[in-house]
Amino acid sequence: MKFMKLGSKPDSFQIDGNNFRYVATELATDIIVNVGDVKFYLHKFPLLSKSAHLQKLVATTSEGNGDEVHIHDIPGGPIAFEICAKFCYGMIVTLNAYNVLAVRCAAEYLGMYETIEKGNLIYKIDVFLNSSILRSWKDSIIVLQTTKSLLPLSEELKVVSNCIDSIASKASIDVFKVDWSYTYSRKKLPKENGNDPNWNGVTNRIVPKDWWVEDLCELEVDLYERVIDNIKNRGITSGAVIGEALKAYAVRRLPGFGKGVIQCGDMSKTRNIVDMIVWLLPVEKGSVSCSFLLRLLKAAILVDLEDMAKTELVRRIGQQLEAASVNDLLIQAPEGETTIYYVDIVKKILKEFMMQDPNAETELAEGHEIQEARRRPGILSDASKLMVVKLVDGYLAEIAKDPNLPLSTFVDLSEMVSGFFRPSHDGLYRAIDTYLKEHPGISKSERKRICRLMDCKKLSADACMHAVQNERLPLRVVVQVLFFEQVRTATSSGTSTPDLPKGIKDLNSGSHGSSRSATTNTEEDWDAVATTEELKALKAELAALRLGSGGGGSERNGGDIRSNTDKASISKMKGLLMSKKIFSKIWSSKGEQGENSGTDSSGSPSSANQEEVKSTPSRNRRRHSVSL
């Protein structure tokens, strides 16, 4: 720390109690200066020779009690005045970064200019500030911190702006020109700790680009904002370093921010900090992590930041959503909401992400008007889309645990990424199963609607194994899973055409025209949740199909399997499989299914589908083989 000593005489100020100061000298004091609640018993000559303000005070009070004057508003209070008084007496005083600004403001108040006496206090302090303090990194920060209590005079004297310029210029210089020591809390290099056996005290230290970020965290929010803004305007420091500085400040100044749980003591102060950080974020994409942006968004929601700031965060998060994690997206819903998580804002983030795709035809509905969404430059890579799809599936699995989550919200969020390629639907199936588990009271139509989101052809073997034992799924979904599992088995064994169930073969040949009477209400049974017995029957059918494709003895083995299941359930399942109406539905869903078209079509079959059902078995098998 830099310091300056003034004067040559020994300090002869004495203290009498807490409120009295006097000079130990043979000469009697002839003036009392009241500064706040402290009385200074001094001599007029040394004081008046250097202070224009005291000259005026003594002159205006000479007609009354000219031996006592009152100063109530001097900057720095009694401590600063005492240093100024000692300077007038020529006593030794020491100025440093902690007290120099207070003394400078007090000298300004007292009018200690060069016009009063050459080499006066103001001149000497200004030389010290410009030649020493402002050339020191640490001292500039310390002085800037002291300006807060000395406003507005510290602004008028340009000490604040000079300190900010000094700090910003030092933070912007090339790191190879930094004569720097570790001043913050990060770990030092091994050689600087004395733990490096090869350290000989000569090798130059490596200065990181963000060497200054922790030191600036000592500044209050308004001063910090001005410093960072000054650094940004110089256009030298990279956005990544600016982002690191903002992150360090958030962690230091927002309790719990590093752990993702903000603890709001002073709501107004927290709001100011979050707002400041949002508007200082660098414009470069990736200059701050997506996780950091989402934590900022959580804080913005918590302190009820203005909508413009939250919209800016949503925009920035959407531009790099692929880098987010599920935990990052689990934002608590605002107070008064019925759901646990704030799903609507995640939808907005996802829309921002999709707007980066110039090929996307995205429209936003606002009331009764449809406005074409603005499209930003950039192309979404397939890798980015795939990561976001996985992110959405994981997010759906978490919010599905909320018992108050509406089905429409779940479906809408899933459908937003339905146009993106999904190599596997396991994650989506897991989310759907979680929702069905946590919402057992939903209707059959709602169960159909949510299951339609997934494509059974894209379930892994493990997911299929789970699905065929899942009593929460509609029966039609389980049948489709079994069917595609059979297709997968046939394909992997080298068989070009899967061996279809006998009921389906008979249906294709038209020999079971009256099979609709096999059950009294096949549509309702088809959409109902599969019972344990029905699942066993379906698995038995699948096992028989697999064994049958393996060669001789299939009938015997199939019979053994069937003997372990409920015959009534098997009969019911055969009736379902032989229903022309139901099979035409499942068959048409195979032919028309899109990338994420789900597992069934709830509408009545078209005439084209009916023709497909009535065609020859060989034609049906050829069509099915191609479509799969």
Side-chain angles (χ1 to χ4, degrees):
M1 180 182 293
K2 304 291 184 179
F3 66 92
M4 178 177 69
K5 283 190 175 183
L6 299 175
S8 58
K9 298 178 182 179
D11 185 355
S12 58
F13 262 64
Q14 302 292 321
I15 299 176
D16 184 5
N18 294 326
N19 300 324
F20 298 96
R21 306 286 189 273
Y22 63 93
V23 180
T25 178
E26 296 179 354
L27 297 175
T29 58
D30 55 4
I31 186 174
I32 301 173
V33 181
N34 293 276
V35 182
D37 57 354
V38 179
K39 288 181 177 292
F40 289 87
Y41 293 84
L42 306 172
H43 302 85
K44 291 181 181 179
F45 174 73
L47 295 178
L48 301 186
S49 65
K50 291 180 172 61
S51 172
H53 185 65
L54 287 177
Q55 289 177 12
K56 293 179 181 179
L57 285 178
V58 172
T60 55
T61 58
S62 59
E63 297 180 359
N65 184 6
D67 294 335
E68 188 168 357
V69 296
H70 296 269
I71 301 175
H72 298 291
D73 54 352
I74 184 171
I79 296 176
F81 175 81
E82 184 174 334
I83 294 176
C84 292
K86 289 179 180 180
F87 173 80
C88 293
Y89 278 93
M91 298 177 187
I92 297 174
V93 293
T94 302
L95 299 178
N96 55 44
Y98 289 101
N99 64 11
V100 66
L101 183 57
V103 177
R104 173 64 179 86
C105 291
E108 184 73 21
Y109 177 90
L110 293 172
M112 302 177 75
Y113 304 115
E114 286 294 284
T115 55
I116 302 300
E117 183 177 280
K118 289 293 183 181
N120 213 340
L121 185 56
I122 288 177
Y123 170 77
K124 292 184 179 295
I125 291 178
D126 285 346
V127 170
F128 177 55
L129 284 170
N130 294 322
S131 64
S132 295
I133 294 295
L134 294 179
R135 293 188 178 186
S136 168
W137 168 257
K138 294 180 182 178
D139 291 343
S140 297
I141 294 175
I142 293 171
V143 172
L144 184 58
Q145 288 176 291
T146 65
T147 61
K148 191 78 173 179
S149 60
L150 296 167
L151 294 173
L153 188 54
S154 58
E155 285 278 13
E156 296 173 4
L157 297 176
K158 298 187 181 302
V159 177
V160 177
S161 59
N162 289 339
C163 285
I164 290 174
D165 286 340
S166 173
I167 294 168
S169 65
K170 291 176 175 61
S172 301
I173 64 174
D174 194 314
V175 293
F176 293 105
K177 298 179 181 179
V178 177
D179 182 16
W180 174 75
S181 62
Y182 280 84
T183 58
Y184 54 87
S185 60
R186 297 182 181 182
K187 294 181 179 179
K188 298 181 180 181
L189 296 174
K191 59 188 178 184
E192 295 186 354
N193 287 326
N195 298 327
D196 189 348
N198 299 320
W199 169 243
N200 55 16
V202 177
T203 305
N204 292 329
R205 290 171 295 183
I206 300 174
V207 179
K209 293 181 179 180
D210 63 344
W211 62 270
W212 49 269
V213 302
E214 292 285 347
D215 290 335
L216 295 191
C217 291
E218 302 296 332
L219 297 174
E220 292 297 325
V221 59
D222 54 341
L223 294 175
Y224 182 84
E225 180 178 10
R226 292 175 64 178
V227 171
I228 297 297
D229 193 52
N230 193 308
I231 294 173
K232 288 180 64 178
N233 290 337
R234 292 171 184 266
I236 300 174
T237 306
S238 68
V241 176
I242 298 293
E244 183 64 26
L246 296 174
K247 179 181 178 182
Y249 195 79
V251 172
R252 177 76 69 87
R253 293 286 177 166
L254 299 174
F257 184 87
K259 299 179 180 179
V261 182
I262 303 296
Q263 302 169 5
C264 290
D266 187 337
M267 184 68 73
S268 177
K269 182 178 180 181
T270 302
R271 185 183 295 109
N272 289 338
I273 292 174
V274 175
D275 186 66
M276 178 269 297
I277 293 175
V278 170
W279 296 117
L280 285 178
L281 289 171
V283 296
E284 298 89 347
K285 179 180 177 181
S287 55
V288 292
S289 67
C290 192
S291 177
F292 173 66
L293 291 173
L294 280 160
R295 278 183 283 167
L296 270 182
L297 181 58
K298 292 178 182 179
I301 294 170
L302 180 64
V303 299
D304 194 22
L305 206 61
E306 60 180 9
D307 291 341
M308 188 178 296
K310 286 186 283 191
T311 300
E312 175 66 13
L313 284 173
V314 167
R315 183 184 68 83
R316 288 176 176 270
I317 294 168
Q319 291 180 348
Q320 54 191 89
L321 182 58
E322 66 272 17
S325 69
V326 173
N327 286 335
D328 291 334
L329 291 179
L330 295 177
I331 304 171
Q332 295 293 320
E335 189 173 350
E337 296 289 333
T338 57
T339 56
I340 298 175
Y341 299 111
Y342 199 176
V343 183
D344 287 343
I345 205 160
V346 175
K347 288 182 180 179
K348 293 178 181 179
I349 293 171
L350 190 54
K351 285 181 181 178
E352 290 290 337
F353 173 79
M354 299 177 73
M355 285 178 188
Q356 297 177 91
D357 190 353
N359 299 319
E361 294 295 334
T362 307
E363 292 184 342
L364 297 179
E366 296 183 359
H368 298 289
E369 297 180 357
I370 302 295
Q371 295 184 347
E372 184 178 353
R374 65 189 185 280
R375 294 188 296 185
R376 299 186 176 86
I379 298 176
L380 292 180
S381 66
D382 291 338
S384 295
K385 293 179 181 179
L386 180 59
M387 286 187 285
V388 168
V389 166
K390 291 182 178 179
L391 179 67
V392 171
D393 287 349
Y395 180 72
L396 287 171
E398 289 298 322
I399 65 173
K401 300 174 185 178
D402 181 0
N404 295 323
L405 181 71
L407 177 67
S408 58
T409 301
F410 184 100
V411 172
D412 291 346
L413 185 58
S414 177
E415 289 180 341
M416 289 182 70
V417 293
S418 61
F420 291 172
F421 173 70
R422 272 190 177 98
S424 170
H425 277 221
D426 284 13
L428 183 56
Y429 167 68
R430 186 180 302 108
I432 291 172
D433 183 52
T434 302
Y435 190 90
L436 294 176
K437 181 180 180 181
E438 298 296 332
H439 303 79
I442 65 174
S443 65
K444 292 180 182 179
S445 61
E446 290 175 324
R447 203 174 293 268
K448 286 172 56 180
R449 183 184 179 191
I450 193 172
C451 288
R452 193 179 297 124
L453 296 171
M454 66 178 176
D455 187 347
C456 294
K457 295 193 299 293
K458 293 189 176 183
L459 295 180
S460 67
D462 290 340
C464 287
M465 183 178 298
H466 184 277
V468 297
Q469 302 177 66
N470 193 341
E471 298 181 8
R472 292 182 285 273
L473 295 178
L475 196 54
R476 72 172 68 231
V477 176
V478 180
V479 170
Q480 287 193 24
V481 171
L482 287 168
F483 179 81
F484 288 120
E485 178 66 12
Q486 173 65 9
V487 171
R488 183 187 291 114
T489 302
T491 303
S492 62
S493 64
T495 305
S496 61
T497 304
D499 190 10
L500 300 178
K502 183 177 183 299
I504 295 178
K505 288 182 178 180
D506 292 340
L507 177 62
N508 291 338
S509 63
S511 62
H512 284 275
S514 62
S515 62
R516 284 173 291 180
S517 62
T519 178
T520 58
N521 193 349
T522 55
E523 179 71 15
E524 185 174 339
D525 289 337
W526 191 258
D527 293 330
V529 175
T531 64
T532 303
E533 291 77 12
E534 290 168 346
L535 290 175
K536 289 180 179 179
L538 284 169
K539 286 190 288 183
E541 287 289 331
L542 178 63
L545 288 169
R546 286 177 172 173
L547 291 173
S549 64
S554 60
E555 291 298 326
R556 179 179 57 82
N557 292 333
D560 291 340
I561 295 173
R562 287 175 173 80
S563 65
N564 295 325
T565 60
D566 184 73
K567 293 182 178 180
S569 297
I570 295 176
S571 176
K572 180 179 180 181
M573 294 312 304
K574 286 182 177 180
L576 285 171
L577 290 173
M578 289 188 295
S579 170
K580 286 186 177 181
K581 180 180 179 182
I582 298 304
F583 182 65
S584 65
K585 285 177 175 286
I586 187 173
W587 187 260
S588 64
S589 71
K590 307 303 178 294
E592 297 177 356
Q593 225 167 16
E595 193 67 40
N596 295 303
S597 61
T599 59
D600 89 298
S601 174
S602 59
S604 60
S606 65
S607 59
N609 290 333
Q610 292 286 3
E611 289 297 324
E612 289 177 4
V613 173
K614 294 178 181 179
S615 61
T616 62
S618 61
R619 181 189 174 200
N620 281 330
R621 284 194 288 270
R622 284 198 303 272
R623 281 183 61 90
H624 196 70
S625 178
V626 171
S627 65
L628 294 175

